[in-house]
Amino acid sequence: MADEATRAAFMEIQASMIELTGKLKQVQNQMRNKEGDRKRAFLTLEELRPLPEDTNTYKSIGRTFVLEPKTVLEGEQEQKLKDSEAAVASLQTSKEYLEKQTAEVENNLRELLQQEPGIAQQIMSMSM
């Protein structure tokens, strides 16, 4: 009976570890995408700022380019920059939370393996 309970506990820990690892990878990918967006907006702003105010600037909409005042484009890029920075900060918080959860699950697994040394041998025999 204890063997079945231990096996069920291991399966539960394993499932939560797989779920947390997947979520962590997803958050890391989202962070990478938002960092790219932030960098693109920053570089675009760096190119727009030195231009004279009367310069014709165009905004890409699909395959079309629309004439927009420089101030409008600067405002849009600044907003993109702020939004990306806020998203990265939020994702960083989520990442830290998921990392703590992963560490907690790893500790639970260690405790289980220390309490039931026989389960480690069973796990090794199942994986081969």
Side-chain angles (χ1 to χ4, degrees):
M1 186 69 173
D3 188 39
E4 283 299 316
T6 304
R7 184 174 290 219
F10 172 75
M11 297 300 271
E12 183 180 324
I13 290 172
Q14 183 182 29
S16 64
M17 186 65 156
I18 290 169
E19 179 185 351
L20 286 171
T21 304
K23 286 181 181 179
L24 188 59
K25 285 182 182 179
Q26 183 181 15
V27 167
Q28 288 171 335
N29 285 335
Q30 289 174 345
M31 281 182 68
R32 202 171 312 124
N33 289 339
K34 290 297 179 184
E35 276 295 325
D37 292 346
R38 186 196 66 76
K39 191 170 194 171
R40 198 172 304 112
F42 176 77
L43 292 173
T44 303
L45 271 173
E46 290 298 307
E47 292 295 320
L48 280 174
R49 285 189 175 130
L51 295 175
E53 288 299 318
D54 62 343
T55 302
N56 287 337
T57 53
Y58 295 88
K59 177 180 176 180
S60 172
I61 302 177
R63 290 192 254 170
T64 305
F65 291 94
V66 178
L67 180 64
E68 290 279 351
K70 178 186 162 202
T71 55
V72 171
L73 289 178
E74 283 180 333
E76 288 176 359
Q77 293 304 315
E78 287 171 356
Q79 187 61 44
K80 283 182 185 179
L81 185 65
K82 288 177 187 174
D83 291 346
S84 295
E85 288 173 346
V88 167
S90 172
L91 288 168
Q92 181 64 33
T93 305
S94 297
K95 179 183 171 189
E96 290 170 1
Y97 172 75
L98 289 171
E99 287 172 342
K100 286 178 185 176
Q101 291 293 102
T102 303
E104 187 177 313
V105 169
E106 286 174 354
N107 286 336
N108 291 343
L109 182 59
R110 268 192 215 95
E111 287 177 15
L112 179 67
L113 291 175
Q114 287 174 353
Q115 290 174 358
E116 298 286 335
I119 196 166
Q121 293 170 347
Q122 290 176 359
I123 294 167
M124 292 303 291
S125 66
M126 288 190 320
S127 65
M128 291 182 178

Short mmCIF file of all heavy atoms in Angstrom, two decimals, residues 6-7 19 24 32 37 40 49 58-59 63 75 79 88 97 111 114 116 120:
data_model
loop_
_atom_site.label_atom_id
_atom_site.label_comp_id
_atom_site.label_asym_id
_atom_site.label_seq_id
_atom_site.Cartn_x
_atom_site.Cartn_y
_atom_site.Cartn_z
N THR A 6 3.53 5.94 -2.57
CA THR A 6 4.79 6.57 -2.95
C THR A 6 4.85 6.76 -4.46
O THR A 6 5.27 7.82 -4.95
CB THR A 6 5.98 5.71 -2.48
OG1 THR A 6 5.86 5.51 -1.08
CG2 THR A 6 7.29 6.39 -2.78
N ARG A 7 4.43 5.74 -5.19
CA ARG A 7 4.44 5.83 -6.66
C ARG A 7 3.48 6.93 -7.14
O ARG A 7 3.82 7.71 -8.04
CB ARG A 7 4.04 4.48 -7.25
CG ARG A 7 4.13 4.46 -8.76
CD ARG A 7 3.88 3.08 -9.25
NE ARG A 7 5.03 2.27 -8.86
CZ ARG A 7 5.56 1.35 -9.62
NH1 ARG A 7 5.03 1.08 -10.78
NH2 ARG A 7 6.60 0.67 -9.23
N GLU A 19 4.80 20.32 -15.97
CA GLU A 19 3.95 21.49 -16.20
C GLU A 19 4.70 22.79 -15.92
O GLU A 19 4.65 23.73 -16.72
CB GLU A 19 2.71 21.39 -15.31
CG GLU A 19 1.76 22.56 -15.46
CD GLU A 19 0.60 22.49 -14.48
OE1 GLU A 19 0.44 21.45 -13.81
OE2 GLU A 19 -0.13 23.49 -14.38
N LEU A 24 7.58 27.71 -17.60
CA LEU A 24 8.79 28.52 -17.49
C LEU A 24 9.39 28.80 -18.87
O LEU A 24 9.79 29.93 -19.17
CB LEU A 24 9.81 27.82 -16.59
CG LEU A 24 11.06 28.59 -16.22
CD1 LEU A 24 10.69 29.88 -15.49
CD2 LEU A 24 11.97 27.75 -15.35
N ARG A 32 11.77 36.98 -24.23
CA ARG A 32 12.69 37.20 -25.36
C ARG A 32 12.00 38.00 -26.46
O ARG A 32 12.60 38.93 -27.03
CB ARG A 32 13.15 35.84 -25.89
CG ARG A 32 14.43 35.90 -26.65
CD ARG A 32 15.00 34.52 -26.99
NE ARG A 32 15.00 33.65 -25.81
CZ ARG A 32 14.42 32.46 -25.75
NH1 ARG A 32 13.77 31.96 -26.78
NH2 ARG A 32 14.48 31.72 -24.66
N ASP A 37 11.02 43.41 -29.10
CA ASP A 37 10.13 44.54 -29.40
C ASP A 37 10.65 45.83 -28.77
O ASP A 37 10.62 46.89 -29.39
CB ASP A 37 8.72 44.27 -28.88
CG ASP A 37 8.02 43.14 -29.63
OD1 ASP A 37 8.51 42.75 -30.70
OD2 ASP A 37 6.99 42.65 -29.11
N ARG A 40 13.71 47.07 -30.69
CA ARG A 40 13.32 47.61 -31.99
C ARG A 40 12.73 49.02 -31.82
O ARG A 40 13.07 49.94 -32.58
CB ARG A 40 12.31 46.67 -32.64
CG ARG A 40 12.14 46.88 -34.11
CD ARG A 40 11.27 45.79 -34.76
NE ARG A 40 11.80 44.45 -34.51
CZ ARG A 40 11.21 43.53 -33.76
NH1 ARG A 40 10.06 43.77 -33.18
NH2 ARG A 40 11.76 42.35 -33.59
N ARG A 49 14.69 60.63 -33.63
CA ARG A 49 14.93 61.86 -32.86
C ARG A 49 15.82 62.89 -33.55
O ARG A 49 15.50 64.08 -33.50
CB ARG A 49 15.48 61.50 -31.48
CG ARG A 49 14.39 60.95 -30.59
CD ARG A 49 14.83 60.79 -29.17
NE ARG A 49 13.69 60.37 -28.35
CZ ARG A 49 13.71 59.36 -27.52
NH1 ARG A 49 14.80 58.65 -27.37
NH2 ARG A 49 12.63 59.03 -26.83
N TYR A 58 7.15 57.96 -42.74
CA TYR A 58 6.11 57.04 -43.18
C TYR A 58 5.97 55.89 -42.20
O TYR A 58 6.95 55.40 -41.66
CB TYR A 58 6.45 56.50 -44.58
CG TYR A 58 6.44 57.57 -45.63
CD1 TYR A 58 7.59 58.31 -45.89
CD2 TYR A 58 5.30 57.85 -46.35
CE1 TYR A 58 7.59 59.31 -46.85
CE2 TYR A 58 5.28 58.84 -47.32
CZ TYR A 58 6.44 59.56 -47.55
OH TYR A 58 6.43 60.55 -48.50
N LYS A 59 4.74 55.48 -42.02
CA LYS A 59 4.41 54.36 -41.14
C LYS A 59 4.02 53.18 -42.03
O LYS A 59 3.21 53.33 -42.95
CB LYS A 59 3.26 54.75 -40.22
CG LYS A 59 2.78 53.65 -39.32
CD LYS A 59 1.64 54.16 -38.47
CE LYS A 59 1.08 53.06 -37.62
NZ LYS A 59 -0.03 53.54 -36.80
N ARG A 63 1.46 46.18 -46.41
CA ARG A 63 2.36 46.45 -47.54
C ARG A 63 2.29 47.91 -47.98
O ARG A 63 2.87 48.28 -48.99
CB ARG A 63 1.99 45.55 -48.72
CG ARG A 63 2.33 44.10 -48.48
CD ARG A 63 2.23 43.33 -49.75
NE ARG A 63 1.03 42.51 -49.74
CZ ARG A 63 0.55 41.87 -50.76
NH1 ARG A 63 1.13 41.95 -51.93
NH2 ARG A 63 -0.53 41.12 -50.65
N GLY A 75 5.72 59.24 -30.78
CA GLY A 75 4.79 58.89 -29.70
C GLY A 75 4.44 57.40 -29.72
O GLY A 75 4.41 56.75 -28.67
N GLN A 79 5.43 54.70 -26.81
CA GLN A 79 4.40 53.87 -26.18
C GLN A 79 4.77 52.38 -26.29
O GLN A 79 4.61 51.62 -25.33
CB GLN A 79 3.03 54.13 -26.82
CG GLN A 79 1.90 53.44 -26.10
CD GLN A 79 1.76 53.90 -24.66
OE1 GLN A 79 1.83 55.08 -24.36
NE2 GLN A 79 1.58 52.96 -23.76
N VAL A 88 7.90 43.11 -19.89
CA VAL A 88 9.10 42.39 -19.46
C VAL A 88 9.16 42.34 -17.93
O VAL A 88 9.48 41.29 -17.35
CB VAL A 88 10.38 43.03 -20.04
CG1 VAL A 88 11.62 42.51 -19.36
CG2 VAL A 88 10.46 42.78 -21.54
N TYR A 97 8.49 33.61 -9.89
CA TYR A 97 7.51 32.79 -9.19
C TYR A 97 7.62 31.33 -9.66
O TYR A 97 7.63 30.40 -8.84
CB TYR A 97 6.10 33.32 -9.43
CG TYR A 97 5.02 32.42 -8.89
CD1 TYR A 97 4.76 32.35 -7.53
CD2 TYR A 97 4.27 31.62 -9.75
CE1 TYR A 97 3.77 31.52 -7.03
CE2 TYR A 97 3.28 30.79 -9.27
CZ TYR A 97 3.04 30.74 -7.91
OH TYR A 97 2.07 29.90 -7.42
N GLU A 111 12.98 14.98 -1.06
CA GLU A 111 12.47 14.43 0.20
C GLU A 111 11.85 13.05 -0.01
O GLU A 111 12.06 12.14 0.78
CB GLU A 111 11.43 15.38 0.81
CG GLU A 111 12.01 16.64 1.39
CD GLU A 111 10.93 17.58 1.91
OE1 GLU A 111 9.77 17.15 2.08
OE2 GLU A 111 11.26 18.76 2.14
N GLN A 114 14.56 10.55 -0.49
CA GLN A 114 15.27 10.26 0.76
C GLN A 114 14.43 9.39 1.69
O GLN A 114 14.96 8.52 2.38
CB GLN A 114 15.66 11.56 1.46
CG GLN A 114 16.79 12.28 0.78
CD GLN A 114 17.08 13.65 1.40
OE1 GLN A 114 16.32 14.10 2.26
NE2 GLN A 114 18.15 14.28 0.98
N GLU A 116 12.06 7.25 0.73
CA GLU A 116 11.87 5.94 0.11
C GLU A 116 13.01 5.67 -0.87
O GLU A 116 12.88 5.89 -2.07
CB GLU A 116 10.54 5.90 -0.65
CG GLU A 116 9.32 6.11 0.20
CD GLU A 116 9.00 4.89 1.05
OE1 GLU A 116 9.39 3.77 0.67
OE2 GLU A 116 8.36 5.06 2.10
N ALA A 120 13.86 5.15 -5.93
CA ALA A 120 14.88 5.60 -6.87
C ALA A 120 15.31 4.44 -7.76
O ALA A 120 15.49 4.60 -8.97
CB ALA A 120 16.07 6.19 -6.13
#
